[in-house]
Amino acid sequence: MRTIKPLIILAFIFFGIVSCKKDTKIGEDPIISTFYFIRHAEKDRTDPENADPELNQDGLDRAIRWAEVFDAIPLDMVYSTNYERTSMTAAPTSVKKDIDITYYDPSTFDVEEFKLINEGKNVLVVGHSNTTPMLVNKVIGVEKYGPMDDSDNASLFIVRIIDGVPTDIRLKMD
């Protein structure tokens, strides 16, 4: 937990500096949307035939640690794909924040609608090794991130959109 707090503080400093790039008219508050993208925690691999496994013990522990990471962040929405491993990863944060999980399908994800619905909000999105970077790329409008390594359950992508201008950072939360 000691390494997580400095990384979160670093992320906020980064976004504070980057957010100064665009001037807001005097008297107008900027519209700030912040999206936190994570991949599901470690899944149970004991049955290779199971297409929808639950989390293993390490994954359950990580899901609880994610809830601790997001504890200081006033989330408005929690999104997850409709799989056991993503739902179980999102659940501790969802319960702690008293926010119902909203399920999404990455294959029909409409980025413009997503940004509009969540404008001015803080949003957690739980996905997979291939869908998480894909969604981040769609939100920032640049093909920046490739699929995640199958062993990477610790990446946190933070996308902040201030008055329509996105900035992003990728952190490791191990």
Side-chain angles (χ1 to χ4, degrees):
M1 186 66 187
R2 289 179 190 254
T3 60
I4 293 174
K5 285 184 181 179
L7 289 174
I8 295 293
I9 292 168
L10 179 63
F12 283 114
I13 290 169
F14 169 80
F15 283 118
I17 292 168
V18 173
S19 68
C20 294
K21 285 185 175 179
K22 183 174 179 182
D23 292 331
T24 302
K25 292 181 183 176
I26 296 173
E28 290 183 18
D29 290 332
I31 298 172
I32 302 171
S33 307
T34 307
F35 304 105
Y36 302 90
F37 293 90
I38 61 173
R39 178 191 179 204
H40 62 79
E42 292 84 350
K43 64 184 176 182
D44 181 356
R45 296 176 185 268
T46 57
D47 180 3
E49 300 298 315
N50 185 356
D52 191 14
E54 295 184 352
L55 298 180
N56 63 22
Q57 188 59 52
D58 288 339
L60 293 170
D61 293 344
R62 184 179 301 278
I64 291 167
R65 285 195 314 273
W66 279 125
E68 291 171 1
V69 167
F70 294 112
D71 190 39
I73 299 168
L75 292 175
D76 299 296
M77 297 289 295
V78 176
Y79 287 86
S80 173
T81 60
N82 198 11
Y83 285 87
E84 288 295 326
R85 59 194 175 273
T86 51
S87 296
M88 290 175 73
T89 301
T93 301
S94 170
V95 168
K96 200 169 194 176
K97 297 289 189 180
D98 194 26
I99 300 171
D100 291 336
I101 297 172
T102 300
Y103 292 96
Y104 73 96
D105 181 350
S107 67
T108 60
F109 183 81
D110 182 334
V111 68
E112 295 307 319
E113 179 181 0
F114 174 79
K115 290 192 297 187
L116 185 62
I117 289 170
N118 295 294
E119 188 173 70
K121 296 180 181 178
N122 293 320
V123 177
L124 170 62
V125 182
V126 183
H128 304 269
S129 60
N130 59 335
T131 64
T132 297
M134 175 195 70
L135 295 181
V136 171
N137 291 339
K138 284 184 177 185
V139 171
I140 64 175
V142 177
E143 290 297 316
K144 184 174 180 178
Y145 300 105
M148 299 166 67
D149 187 88
D150 193 45
S151 65
D152 182 356
N153 301 96
S155 283
L156 168 63
F157 299 84
I158 304 173
V159 176
R160 178 162 279 178
I161 301 175
I162 301 173
D163 288 337
V165 179
T167 57
D168 64 281
I169 189 170
R170 180 179 188 171
L171 303 172
K172 285 284 204 165
M173 304 307 282
D174 266 341

